[in-house]
Amino acid sequence: MTAPTASTPTAPATTRAIAALAPGDVDAESSFAEVEIEVGPPGPHDLLVEVRAVSVNPVDFKVRSGFDPAEAPKVLGYDAAGVVVATGAEVTAFSTGDEVYYAGSIARTGANAGLHLVDERITGRKPASLDFAQAAAAPLTTITAWETLFDKLRLTRESTGTLLVMGAAGGVGSMLVQLARKLTGVTVIAAAGRKESAEWAASMGAHHTVDRHRLNDEVRALAPRGVDYVFSPFSAGMAETYASLMAVHGQVVAIDGPEGLDTLPLKARSQSWHWELMFTRPLFDPESTAQREILDEAARLFDAGVLRSTLSRKLTPVSPENLRDAHRALEGWGMIGKIAVANS
C-alpha cells in the first residue's frame, strides 16, 4: 500500500447543494432548494469527498424543521458515501481516490452536496461489498448501535442475558439486532408494531419478536424474571414500562430526547438509564479515532457477510424532489430499514 499523500486545493471551491432556506415542514417550498455553496479548502484533518450517495435519518427532519434562520441556507445530510478528491495537510489514513463512508458532524455543513468536507478521524473505508447507496445507509445507525452495545452496555462475545430492542425494524434497530446477535451471546427480543416490521427484524437475526401493542404480556412470557437491557428510540412515557419489564440492575439506552422524562421508576430495582448520541465524539472529543475504527470494523463485517445492508429503498438522483420524498417517508415513522438517495 502506498503512503497517504495530502492534496489540498489552493483556493475554495463551490459546489451544488440542496438546502433548507428557512425552517419548515416537509412540503414547504423553501425546505428543499438547490443552492451553490463554498467548500474548502480542507482543514488539516479534512477529506474533500465527492458525494455519491446520502441517507436520511430523523436528525435530518428535526434539524430542518427547527434550525436558526440565521444559519440558512442549511445543508443537511448526516450519512454519506463517496470518493476522496483532496486531503488536508495532516491526513494520514486516506489518499485521493479512496472510497469512504461516514456520518459526519452535526456542527458542520451536511453532505447533501456534490462536494463535502469531513474529518478523517470519523470516516471509514467503504465496504467493498456494498454499493454507494448501501454504504451511505450504514454509518449513523452502525455507530449508534455499536456505541449502545459496546460502549454503554459494555457487552462482549461472552455476554448473556436478554436485550429488548424497541423499534427493531428501524434504522438503528436493524443494525443493533444484527450486532447483538452476531457479536454477543445475548438473547434478542425485537418489538415491532406491524407484521412486516416483525418479519424484517427476524430476518436481521432477532431470536424472538413481540407486538409492541402487547409489550407487557409478550415480553413477560419470554423473560419472566425481566429483561437485562432495553434499547429505546421512543422514550416518552416509557420509563415506568421499562422499569416493570427489566430485571434488577437492568439498563436502558435511549437515543431520543423526550422533554420532562422522569426516570424515578427505575430507582427501586437499581436500574439505570443511559443516553447515546452519535455526534458526541465529533462534538466533544474531536481527536478521537473511535468512530473511524468502528466504521472500519463494520466494513470488515459487511465484507465477510457477518452484517447485511439495511437499505430498503433507493431513490435516484440526489435532487430536491427525492430528498423531500425521503424526508416524507421517514417522518411517517413507519419506515423499515433505511432509505438512501444516490446519483446512480
Side-chain angles (χ1 to χ4, degrees):
M1 180 183 294
T2 59
T5 58
S7 174
T8 305
T10 58
T14 61
T15 188
R16 167 186 171 272
I18 299 167
L21 304 182
D25 65 35
V26 70
D27 294 313
E29 186 176 349
S30 61
S31 290
F32 300 90
E34 287 196 27
V35 297
E36 195 77 13
I37 62 171
E38 190 174 276
V39 182
H45 286 282
D46 281 345
L47 309 175
L48 182 62
V49 176
E50 178 188 299
V51 177
R52 301 290 181 84
V54 296
S55 185
V56 177
N57 297 283
V59 64
D60 289 272
F61 64 75
K62 291 176 183 177
V63 173
R64 188 207 70 228
S65 62
F67 68 90
D68 184 343
E71 297 177 0
K74 187 72 171 179
V75 181
L76 308 174
Y78 307 105
D79 258 338
V83 179
V84 176
V85 296
T87 61
E90 297 180 25
V91 167
T92 61
F94 299 94
S95 299
T96 57
D98 286 344
E99 296 182 350
V100 295
Y101 74 142
Y102 56 89
S105 170
I106 199 169
R108 302 186 71 174
T109 299
N112 293 343
L115 295 172
H116 184 239
L117 288 172
V118 63
D119 195 303
E120 65 160 335
R121 293 167 291 196
I122 56 173
T123 303
R125 293 186 179 276
K126 184 183 79 67
S129 59
L130 302 185
D131 63 27
F132 284 104
Q134 292 170 326
L140 186 147
T141 56
T142 300
I143 293 170
T144 302
W146 192 285
E147 292 181 346
T148 292
L149 292 172
F150 307 121
D151 292 352
K152 299 298 184 300
L153 298 178
R154 301 186 181 278
L155 300 182
T156 68
R157 290 188 181 275
E158 289 71 41
S159 295
T160 57
T162 306
L163 167 67
L164 172 62
V165 182
M166 302 296 292
V172 179
S174 297
M175 287 306 307
L176 197 130
V177 167
Q178 291 189 73
L179 289 169
R181 180 63 188 265
K182 297 292 187 176
L183 302 184
T184 80
V186 302
T187 297
V188 181
I189 300 175
R194 297 174 294 162
K195 178 182 177 182
E196 53 267 40
S197 299
E199 291 173 347
W200 174 274
S203 75
M204 292 290 121
H207 293 90
H208 308 282
T209 61
V210 294
D211 184 345
R212 65 176 175 84
H213 304 293
R214 293 172 41 83
L215 195 64
N216 284 322
D217 291 343
E218 296 194 7
V219 171
R220 289 179 194 281
L222 293 168
R225 299 183 63 182
V227 299
D228 299 284
Y229 315 104
V230 175
F231 169 71
S232 178
F234 311 112
S235 306
M238 293 298 292
E240 190 168 348
T241 297
Y242 295 157
S244 69
L245 288 175
M246 286 193 299
V248 170
H249 297 299
Q251 301 179 69
V252 178
V253 179
I255 61 170
D256 57 340
E259 293 185 8
L261 179 71
D262 179 10
T263 60
L264 193 59
L266 280 67
K267 181 179 179 181
R269 296 185 186 180
S270 298
Q271 298 159 336
S272 55
W273 190 285
H274 306 272
W275 296 110
E276 160 59 22
L277 177 64
M278 191 227 70
F279 294 115
T280 295
R281 279 185 167 125
L283 288 172
F284 301 106
D285 191 13
E287 295 185 2
S288 171
T289 60
Q291 292 192 346
R292 182 172 74 204
E293 293 160 14
I294 290 170
L295 290 174
D296 283 346
E297 178 60 22
R300 287 189 282 272
L301 294 171
F302 278 116
D303 290 342
V306 176
L307 298 178
R308 53 175 281 196
S309 170
T310 59
L311 181 68
S312 60
R313 186 181 176 193
K314 173 183 171 182
L315 303 175
T316 55
V318 179
S319 67
E321 295 76 16
N322 283 332
L323 280 171
R324 189 189 307 274
D325 285 348
H327 277 235
R328 187 181 291 115
L330 198 61
E331 285 188 47
W333 295 110
M335 188 73 197
I336 293 176
K338 288 294 298 293
I339 184 169
V341 187
N343 282 323
S344 62

